[in-house]
Amino acid sequence: MNSIQDRLVVFGSAFCLMVLGYVVTRLCRRFFETHGPEFWSQFYRCFCCRHDPNQNGNPIIASMQRSRRRIESCLTKQPELIVDHSVTELRVGETTSFKVTLPENRNVFQRSSTSSNQSVHVAHPTPNSLLMLNSISIEIRKISGLSENISFIQELSFEPETREDFILVKYTVREAGFYEVHVAYQNVPVTNSPMLHTFLSTELDPEKTTLLRQSPMILILTVESQTMTIEAKDRFENFCRLENFSPSDFTFKVTNMDENFKDKIVETMAYDFTSESANEWGESKCDLQLHFEIFLPGYFRGTIFYRNRPIGNGAFDLVCLTPEENQIRLEIHKRPQDSVFHNAKLLAQNSEMQKSPTEVYIYVSSKAVVVKQFFLSIFPFRLAFYRVLPATKVDLICDNLESRLCTFTLRDRMQPKLTLEMESTNFRIFIAIFAHFLKQRLGGSESFENKQKFFQEEVRLAREDKNRDFINISVYRINLIDSSIAATKGFGVREWVRKPKIHFEGEEGHDDGGLRREWLTLLCQKLFENDPKGLFCSMGNSRLVHPNPHRAKIWNLRHYEFAGKIVGKCLLESSLGAFHQQMVNGRFSRSFLAHLIGSFPQHKHFEQDDPELHLGKVKYILENDVTSMEMLFQEEEYENETGILLKTVDLIPNGKDILVTNNNKEEYLAALAQFRLGTRTQSEIDAFLKGLHFIIPEGLLSNFDENELEILMCGKSNFSVEDLKRNHVLTESGLTPLLVSKILLWFWNSVEGMSTEERGRLLQFTTGSSLLPNGGFIDLRPTFRITITNTTGHLPIAHTCFSEICLSIHNSFEEFNKSLRLAVNECSEGFAMM
């Protein structure tokens, strides 16, 4: 019995010793993993430093010295930056990576980081690995051209063969040029840092490639060779290098403008493409030169192709004169513009043919083409007035070589379409004079910036005789639209041009420009709000608004006219200078914008204006056989809320008797677009245009397309935080630089985390408008100002007159972020006072 007890005691003691040994071993292992190098270093200093350093023969001291050297090597070894040299060329749009090896770290780990420009994945972290990762900083930035930092992703991995931990950094750039990769460990650059990378452009994209032309209509002579420059670009709009394309892949085709020979290629011409390389900011680019010559006079259409695909703006009109015809043109330019006219015969006006050709006279000036007719051969009256703009089109119908007569049309988006007949030589001279003045009006470029500059100059010129002194307007915030209509009821053009000084009844505040901006901004918000019973609403599930045919009875046509005047006032204010800039706070349907520029709605507008109808009906009709659908040229109208059928409308005369077929389905969709996007809201659109043209001269907006008009009116709602960082003014009230830097960093981090809507509210809160000018913050006047005040725990306040936001000190980022978002989301309207 005793022997059994003795055995149990022995076995129990042994088991306890084993458990204790295991626990001690695990604790020691954990301790030395975390503090091993520091412990042995301290142990060596305490033990060995007491001995004579010259006692090299002592094996204990020699061993400790070797251990010390190994420990110091481990402690001082820096991470190393290793490049994957298997990639010989770096291209934009492709993911690039490099490695950062970690010293003496055998643990595989991955973690997550919430840094604004990086994303890291880690699992099974150890204290050493986390300390090592937090000690490494990585920055990738472009050093050529405009400097900017690049976002990247970090992945931490373990290499079994070399038993090394490393950080794999991946990033993608879209802009060609030189980039630097900076890696630092405890603020000290690691081996091979900084590393220089050169990213090259990708293959040429014909849609992004542009022709540098001065006008859509180009005047040339038969005896002269012409040269035009093409900027070859890739899909990211980087300039291409010569190795990205071959000049032989480009072709140039010249066709007749005559409708009877529209697709016939002109053989009496020659062309050639040459390339020329250049360097800008150390970045290589290649410009392509088109050299061509046409040997016979005429009116042609030129188109540049890349691998049978037309380049972005590579189609243009060509007016080719003989030297004798050009001399006549030069003589005409020397005379007073209103004294020279071109004889022509009027054949038709719109689609109505004349009973007999009527004599008319065409006057071409630097601003307009005027067609006049004389009543009883004595009294002149104007048939049409076309501005010298790209929207004014001259279409050649027929050039009869036997009779030497040309039949052509004059049209734009506003005036009636005239069909005219003129002697061929006089026609070419007339077109050449028009092309000359068009080039002058565009300032040598067709860019949006030039169009905008021209528009604003014309608006200022049209209103320069009006007084710009102040006019007081008092309105009620609670009933803003009707009180504003009442306050401006007797206003003529002279009063609308003056500077409004706004007073909100029942509120304090002096208007130095901020209340004016707020008044116009709030009016736009309320007038163009997406409301099923309001003045404007969306169609289907679109976010774009269109005049509402089912509006509530409280809204009538005078409200649409007033809305047009408000848009005209915004455009007028923006034309008077950057300080007065006022964007229209609204997002309009493409078809409504088409009406504003004098164009007509088309079925392509359904894709953005009414996506539900486009996907469910329009797209299906375009892509499928409609024979079995038994559709008629009719459209049914339903009540919005109840879905009850209100009426059935013929889209064309006798539409109820005409069946839609594969041959006429395009006509059906065009008629459908005209009805749904135009006819049923025509009275509302006409009232809006009446108010708009009361302030903005009719026809000036026709120079823009729908997208350009939206930018001109509404600016850009989203913005880049980097743009704001580059274009702001910082002021502070005697605070320490460290405290100012901390609050400013919190502000940037908070703004970067905002949604597009919240950023718009931040703009609304600070500047009085949620939209930016086309150029971004650099064009914002007054400049965006950030002021850090010597107060603690207060909500931010704003002075919209000066585009200023005042930030208070807070104890933590969480408190700061909460107060900023509260102010932006809840206090974005009203006049702020210190």
Side-chain angles (χ1 to χ4, degrees), residues 470-488:
F470 289 101
I471 183 169
N472 293 316
I473 298 177
S474 295
V475 295
Y476 291 90
R477 191 182 292 273
I478 195 172
N479 187 23
L480 187 63
I481 295 179
D482 287 333
S483 65
S484 297
I485 292 177
T488 60

mmCIF file of all heavy atoms in Angstrom, residues 470-488:
data_model
loop_
_atom_site.group_PDB
_atom_site.id
_atom_site.type_symbol
_atom_site.label_atom_id
_atom_site.label_comp_id
_atom_site.label_asym_id
_atom_site.label_seq_id
_atom_site.Cartn_x
_atom_site.Cartn_y
_atom_site.Cartn_z
ATOM 1 N N PHE A 470 -26.234 99.997 -55.577
ATOM 2 C CA PHE A 470 -26.963 99.042 -54.742
ATOM 3 C C PHE A 470 -28.469 99.271 -54.822
ATOM 4 O O PHE A 470 -28.945 100.390 -55.031
ATOM 5 C CB PHE A 470 -26.507 99.151 -53.283
ATOM 6 C CG PHE A 470 -25.126 98.631 -53.045
ATOM 7 C CD1 PHE A 470 -24.058 99.500 -52.922
ATOM 8 C CD2 PHE A 470 -24.886 97.269 -52.962
ATOM 9 C CE1 PHE A 470 -22.772 99.026 -52.719
ATOM 10 C CE2 PHE A 470 -23.611 96.786 -52.745
ATOM 11 C CZ PHE A 470 -22.544 97.669 -52.628
ATOM 12 N N ILE A 471 -29.207 98.169 -54.624
ATOM 13 C CA ILE A 471 -30.661 98.241 -54.519
ATOM 14 C C ILE A 471 -31.075 97.333 -53.368
ATOM 15 O O ILE A 471 -30.627 96.186 -53.261
ATOM 16 C CB ILE A 471 -31.353 97.822 -55.837
ATOM 17 C CG1 ILE A 471 -32.852 97.984 -55.723
ATOM 18 C CG2 ILE A 471 -30.984 96.400 -56.242
ATOM 19 C CD1 ILE A 471 -33.585 97.848 -57.055
ATOM 20 N N ASN A 472 -31.891 97.857 -52.463
ATOM 21 C CA ASN A 472 -32.296 97.128 -51.253
ATOM 22 C C ASN A 472 -33.469 96.199 -51.557
ATOM 23 O O ASN A 472 -34.438 96.600 -52.208
ATOM 24 C CB ASN A 472 -32.683 98.105 -50.142
ATOM 25 C CG ASN A 472 -31.489 98.906 -49.653
ATOM 26 O OD1 ASN A 472 -30.414 98.355 -49.441
ATOM 27 N ND2 ASN A 472 -31.675 100.207 -49.475
ATOM 28 N N ILE A 473 -33.356 94.974 -51.075
ATOM 29 C CA ILE A 473 -34.417 93.979 -51.238
ATOM 30 C C ILE A 473 -34.657 93.334 -49.878
ATOM 31 O O ILE A 473 -33.733 92.770 -49.277
ATOM 32 C CB ILE A 473 -34.039 92.904 -52.275
ATOM 33 C CG1 ILE A 473 -33.822 93.536 -53.648
ATOM 34 C CG2 ILE A 473 -35.106 91.814 -52.344
ATOM 35 C CD1 ILE A 473 -33.371 92.545 -54.713
ATOM 36 N N SER A 474 -35.880 93.399 -49.379
ATOM 37 C CA SER A 474 -36.257 92.778 -48.104
ATOM 38 C C SER A 474 -37.170 91.596 -48.378
ATOM 39 O O SER A 474 -38.173 91.721 -49.101
ATOM 40 C CB SER A 474 -36.970 93.789 -47.201
ATOM 41 O OG SER A 474 -36.091 94.842 -46.828
ATOM 42 N N VAL A 475 -36.824 90.440 -47.816
ATOM 43 C CA VAL A 475 -37.581 89.218 -48.065
ATOM 44 C C VAL A 475 -37.790 88.478 -46.748
ATOM 45 O O VAL A 475 -37.132 88.760 -45.744
ATOM 46 C CB VAL A 475 -36.853 88.290 -49.069
ATOM 47 C CG1 VAL A 475 -36.759 88.932 -50.427
ATOM 48 C CG2 VAL A 475 -35.467 87.913 -48.556
ATOM 49 N N TYR A 476 -38.724 87.536 -46.754
ATOM 50 C CA TYR A 476 -38.992 86.696 -45.600
ATOM 51 C C TYR A 476 -38.432 85.297 -45.871
ATOM 52 O O TYR A 476 -38.749 84.689 -46.900
ATOM 53 C CB TYR A 476 -40.494 86.604 -45.319
ATOM 54 C CG TYR A 476 -41.096 87.900 -44.829
ATOM 55 C CD1 TYR A 476 -41.602 88.832 -45.743
ATOM 56 C CD2 TYR A 476 -41.158 88.194 -43.470
ATOM 57 C CE1 TYR A 476 -42.155 90.025 -45.303
ATOM 58 C CE2 TYR A 476 -41.709 89.395 -43.021
ATOM 59 C CZ TYR A 476 -42.203 90.302 -43.942
ATOM 60 O OH TYR A 476 -42.742 91.484 -43.500
ATOM 61 N N ARG A 477 -37.631 84.802 -44.957
ATOM 62 C CA ARG A 477 -37.038 83.486 -45.140
ATOM 63 C C ARG A 477 -38.103 82.396 -45.177
ATOM 64 O O ARG A 477 -37.975 81.412 -45.913
ATOM 65 C CB ARG A 477 -36.032 83.211 -44.016
ATOM 66 C CG ARG A 477 -35.162 81.988 -44.248
ATOM 67 C CD ARG A 477 -34.230 81.747 -43.073
ATOM 68 N NE ARG A 477 -33.223 82.784 -42.950
ATOM 69 C CZ ARG A 477 -32.058 82.779 -43.580
ATOM 70 N NH1 ARG A 477 -31.759 81.780 -44.384
ATOM 71 N NH2 ARG A 477 -31.195 83.766 -43.393
ATOM 72 N N ILE A 478 -39.172 82.561 -44.386
ATOM 73 C CA ILE A 478 -40.189 81.528 -44.292
ATOM 74 C C ILE A 478 -41.033 81.435 -45.555
ATOM 75 O O ILE A 478 -41.633 80.404 -45.854
ATOM 76 C CB ILE A 478 -41.080 81.787 -43.047
ATOM 77 C CG1 ILE A 478 -41.901 80.538 -42.714
ATOM 78 C CG2 ILE A 478 -41.979 82.990 -43.280
ATOM 79 C CD1 ILE A 478 -42.652 80.647 -41.401
ATOM 80 N N ASN A 479 -41.121 82.517 -46.319
ATOM 81 C CA ASN A 479 -41.900 82.531 -47.567
ATOM 82 C C ASN A 479 -41.034 83.166 -48.646
ATOM 83 O O ASN A 479 -41.382 84.207 -49.209
ATOM 84 C CB ASN A 479 -43.206 83.297 -47.357
ATOM 85 C CG ASN A 479 -44.128 83.197 -48.559
ATOM 86 O OD1 ASN A 479 -44.029 82.263 -49.348
ATOM 87 N ND2 ASN A 479 -45.007 84.163 -48.715
ATOM 88 N N LEU A 480 -39.912 82.536 -48.909
ATOM 89 C CA LEU A 480 -38.845 83.174 -49.681
ATOM 90 C C LEU A 480 -39.246 83.447 -51.125
ATOM 91 O O LEU A 480 -38.999 84.537 -51.651
ATOM 92 C CB LEU A 480 -37.592 82.296 -49.637
ATOM 93 C CG LEU A 480 -36.336 82.909 -50.249
ATOM 94 C CD1 LEU A 480 -35.922 84.155 -49.485
ATOM 95 C CD2 LEU A 480 -35.199 81.897 -50.254
ATOM 96 N N ILE A 481 -39.870 82.480 -51.799
ATOM 97 C CA ILE A 481 -40.148 82.640 -53.231
ATOM 98 C C ILE A 481 -41.152 83.764 -53.474
ATOM 99 O O ILE A 481 -40.893 84.700 -54.246
ATOM 100 C CB ILE A 481 -40.640 81.309 -53.833
ATOM 101 C CG1 ILE A 481 -39.537 80.252 -53.781
ATOM 102 C CG2 ILE A 481 -41.096 81.521 -55.273
ATOM 103 C CD1 ILE A 481 -39.951 78.906 -54.324
ATOM 104 N N ASP A 482 -42.312 83.698 -52.815
ATOM 105 C CA ASP A 482 -43.348 84.703 -53.061
ATOM 106 C C ASP A 482 -42.925 86.081 -52.576
ATOM 107 O O ASP A 482 -43.249 87.097 -53.227
ATOM 108 C CB ASP A 482 -44.655 84.280 -52.389
ATOM 109 C CG ASP A 482 -45.335 83.124 -53.121
ATOM 110 O OD1 ASP A 482 -45.109 83.005 -54.345
ATOM 111 O OD2 ASP A 482 -46.058 82.341 -52.488
ATOM 112 N N SER A 483 -42.216 86.161 -51.443
ATOM 113 C CA SER A 483 -41.767 87.473 -50.971
ATOM 114 C C SER A 483 -40.707 88.044 -51.902
ATOM 115 O O SER A 483 -40.636 89.267 -52.101
ATOM 116 C CB SER A 483 -41.227 87.371 -49.544
ATOM 117 O OG SER A 483 -40.068 86.565 -49.474
ATOM 118 N N SER A 484 -39.894 87.193 -52.519
ATOM 119 C CA SER A 484 -38.892 87.669 -53.478
ATOM 120 C C SER A 484 -39.554 88.142 -54.767
ATOM 121 O O SER A 484 -39.137 89.143 -55.356
ATOM 122 C CB SER A 484 -37.880 86.555 -53.777
ATOM 123 O OG SER A 484 -37.167 86.189 -52.619
ATOM 124 N N ILE A 485 -40.603 87.424 -55.218
ATOM 125 C CA ILE A 485 -41.339 87.863 -56.409
ATOM 126 C C ILE A 485 -41.994 89.215 -56.157
ATOM 127 O O ILE A 485 -41.954 90.118 -56.999
ATOM 128 C CB ILE A 485 -42.395 86.808 -56.808
ATOM 129 C CG1 ILE A 485 -41.711 85.531 -57.306
ATOM 130 C CG2 ILE A 485 -43.326 87.349 -57.880
ATOM 131 C CD1 ILE A 485 -42.667 84.398 -57.645
ATOM 132 N N ALA A 486 -42.571 89.372 -54.967
ATOM 133 C CA ALA A 486 -43.216 90.639 -54.635
ATOM 134 C C ALA A 486 -42.201 91.782 -54.557
ATOM 135 O O ALA A 486 -42.467 92.901 -55.009
ATOM 136 C CB ALA A 486 -43.966 90.501 -53.306
ATOM 137 N N ALA A 487 -41.009 91.476 -53.984
ATOM 138 C CA ALA A 487 -39.988 92.518 -53.820
ATOM 139 C C ALA A 487 -39.399 92.957 -55.156
ATOM 140 O O ALA A 487 -38.881 94.073 -55.282
ATOM 141 C CB ALA A 487 -38.889 92.025 -52.890
ATOM 142 N N THR A 488 -39.433 92.085 -56.164
ATOM 143 C CA THR A 488 -38.831 92.405 -57.467
ATOM 144 C C THR A 488 -39.887 92.592 -58.551
ATOM 145 O O THR A 488 -39.565 92.581 -59.740
ATOM 146 C CB THR A 488 -37.865 91.272 -57.891
ATOM 147 O OG1 THR A 488 -38.600 90.034 -57.986
ATOM 148 C CG2 THR A 488 -36.741 91.106 -56.887
#
